[in-house]
Amino acid sequence: MAERVSARLTAAEGRKFGFTVGFAFLALGAFAMWRGKQRTSMVLLSLGGVLVVAALIVPTLLGPVEKAWMGLAHLISKVTTPIFMSIVYFVVMTPIGFLRRMSAGKMGAPKSSSVSNWDAHSPAVVRRESMERQF
């Protein structure tokens, strides 16, 4: 279950959020600039710079920004999680199931053609006297 983010953050939480997301935007902006995308790089570098400066000056006021950021992350996860899990199922689990069916049927099944899978065993305690002092 998702936690609710309060509108006010502690200074440490605000700095952590501002630096983490701000430096990520700065790195993406530098990468966009390196790729020759001037407009995109300016937007990303501006956002990163504003977040880093806000983390330094007013980290407690970044609560609404973090709340919006986490809301966006939650919406994105609603889409990407089913897609990712479907890929894992069809690319990993389905071939494993096909390989198991082709190779040996049930893994761990007895090799003999017995009707039952019951394994008879002798009882661990044979005498009643050994049960008097168990510990």
Side-chain angles (χ1 to χ4, degrees):
M1 200 76 176
E3 279 184 28
R4 291 199 160 242
V5 179
S6 65
R8 296 285 285 186
L9 297 175
T10 64
E13 291 171 339
R15 272 192 294 279
K16 182 179 176 184
F17 170 74
F19 287 147
T20 303
V21 177
F23 285 130
F25 275 134
L26 289 174
L28 289 173
F31 182 72
M33 185 178 286
W34 177 68
R35 298 278 298 172
K37 309 289 185 185
Q38 291 299 320
R39 189 175 303 152
T40 304
S41 67
M42 285 300 123
V43 169
L44 291 172
L45 289 172
S46 299
L47 284 172
V50 166
L51 280 172
V52 169
V53 169
L56 289 171
I57 298 173
V58 285
T60 57
L61 298 180
L62 287 175
V65 178
E66 184 187 21
K67 186 174 183 172
W69 185 259
M70 291 302 171
L72 177 65
H74 183 70
L75 289 175
I76 290 172
S77 74
K78 291 275 189 185
V79 174
T80 58
T81 300
I83 292 171
F84 176 75
M85 295 307 287
S86 298
I87 290 170
V88 168
Y89 180 78
F90 288 113
V91 172
V92 177
M93 301 305 289
T94 302
I96 289 173
F98 284 137
L99 289 174
R100 285 185 63 179
R101 281 186 184 208
M102 289 188 326
S103 65
K106 289 185 178 178
M107 305 253 322
K111 303 259 190 257
S112 67
S113 61
S114 64
V115 177
S116 172
N117 287 336
W118 181 264
D119 290 332
H121 68 283
S122 59
V125 178
V126 205
R127 299 182 324 245
R128 178 180 244 161
E129 297 85 36
S130 64
M131 294 296 290
E132 286 182 16
R133 306 186 119 220
Q134 295 180 24
F135 302 103

